[in-house]
Amino acid sequence: MRVPFSVSITPLSRACARLSVLALYPWHEFWSMGEGSGAPSFHLSVTSFPRHGHDLHVLMPGGIVVSNLRDYHGATIHRLATGVDFMPECGRSKLVHHLRILRAFVYWYLRAIPAGIALARKIRPDVVFGMGSLGSVAGYVVARAMRVPNVTRLFGSEIMQVMGNPFKLVLRYRDIIPYAVPASYYIMHNDGSGADRAALKYGVQRDRMFYLPNGIDKRLFTRERDCAVLTRRF
């Protein structure tokens, strides 16, 4: 069951030529494998706003890779004063890994929500984007405080892979929560994980989500490319 909004929000006008957007982003960087390498969806989700004429402010953790960056392809970066990795990679011990996830999960909300509200009161966003599973809840709370719409932007999901195992499903609470938290709209992309099926299963209405198909950057990948060279490189 979807939880109804408890406050009235100001709808976005289709006539808006330029939007002020606040994005709550829990990663330290905008590429999955270092600047310019890996999955481009994180990078494009941020840079597409200024490229289309919108004013984007990104609240994200203190930089590990790009610590002094304040402007990123036209987006204004606001740093939380912390070096905590809110999206920890899997370690040797599964118990330690899940404890790190839980610690980061709680600490993110303690830091991101008050910082997000404070920043939102300064920039007065027209819409709040919650990036990823952690960004979704913080984005909802900040948007409700400002009485503006919130959009949840997801980058894949691990739910469908463990749907038949109740124990493993509970441990994927970070992936389930975004679907339980109300959003004006959900955006996700087809990375093969079935995020659209997970959204429908947890009650997200189809007319409230946009499922982006994967694409190929023809500037990088063409039929004329020597596959052997690419294989050796990567």
Side-chain angles (χ1 to χ4, degrees):
M1 176 182 295
R2 309 304 298 162
V3 179
F5 293 147
S6 58
V7 297
S8 61
I9 62 177
T10 303
L12 292 176
S13 169
R14 292 182 180 272
C16 288
R18 181 183 178 90
L19 294 175
S20 175
V21 181
L22 171 60
L24 304 181
Y25 186 91
W27 292 273
H28 289 273
E29 63 283 319
F30 298 107
W31 287 86
S32 61
M33 298 173 63
E35 187 67 20
S37 301
S41 53
F42 304 94
H43 167 83
L44 294 175
S45 292
V46 171
T47 58
S48 61
F49 287 99
R51 191 169 66 248
H52 287 85
H54 302 298
D55 185 20
L56 176 66
H57 294 260
V58 181
L59 179 65
M60 62 188 296
I64 293 177
V65 180
V66 283
S67 58
N68 296 320
L69 192 63
R70 290 295 177 269
D71 179 271
Y72 187 78
H73 296 272
T76 303
I77 307 301
H78 304 266
R79 297 283 186 181
L80 291 171
T82 176
V84 172
D85 183 1
F86 291 103
M87 307 297 287
E89 298 292 336
C90 185
R92 293 183 178 179
S93 169
K94 290 186 177 180
L95 175 60
V96 172
H97 176 59
H98 285 294
L99 289 175
R100 289 178 63 201
I101 288 176
L102 179 60
R103 170 181 173 266
F105 181 79
V106 174
Y107 189 58
W108 163 259
Y109 295 124
L110 292 176
R111 296 298 304 274
I113 290 176
I117 292 176
L119 177 57
R121 286 173 176 166
K122 292 180 180 179
I123 67 174
R124 296 292 172 179
D126 297 301
V127 60
V128 177
F129 268 69
M131 301 287 197
S133 56
L134 293 184
S136 62
V137 177
Y140 168 76
V141 175
V142 173
R144 297 287 72 75
M146 301 303 296
R147 297 178 179 272
V148 297
N150 69 300
V151 176
T152 293
R153 173 63 168 101
L154 299 177
F155 302 90
S157 172
E158 297 181 1
I159 297 176
M160 300 309 296
Q161 288 84 346
V162 298
M163 190 58 72
N165 188 318
F167 178 72
K168 289 185 177 181
L169 189 61
V170 169
L171 294 178
R172 296 295 191 278
Y173 57 89
R174 287 195 313 177
D175 293 311
I176 297 174
I177 284 178
Y179 303 121
V181 175
S184 305
Y185 209 69
Y186 298 80
I187 300 175
M188 57 200 81
H189 66 273
N190 181 10
D191 63 349
S193 64
D196 60 328
R197 289 182 289 141
L200 293 171
K201 180 176 179 59
Y202 284 98
V204 176
Q205 299 300 313
R206 190 175 291 277
D207 62 355
R208 279 184 177 249
M209 70 178 187
F210 184 53
Y211 192 51
L212 292 164
N214 270 346
I216 297 175
D217 189 340
K218 293 183 178 180
R219 295 171 301 177
L220 299 176
F221 302 99
T222 67
R223 292 184 179 182
E224 291 73 29
R225 282 288 180 125
D226 186 347
C227 294
V229 174
L230 291 175
T231 301
R232 288 194 299 270
R233 177 182 175 187
F234 294 106

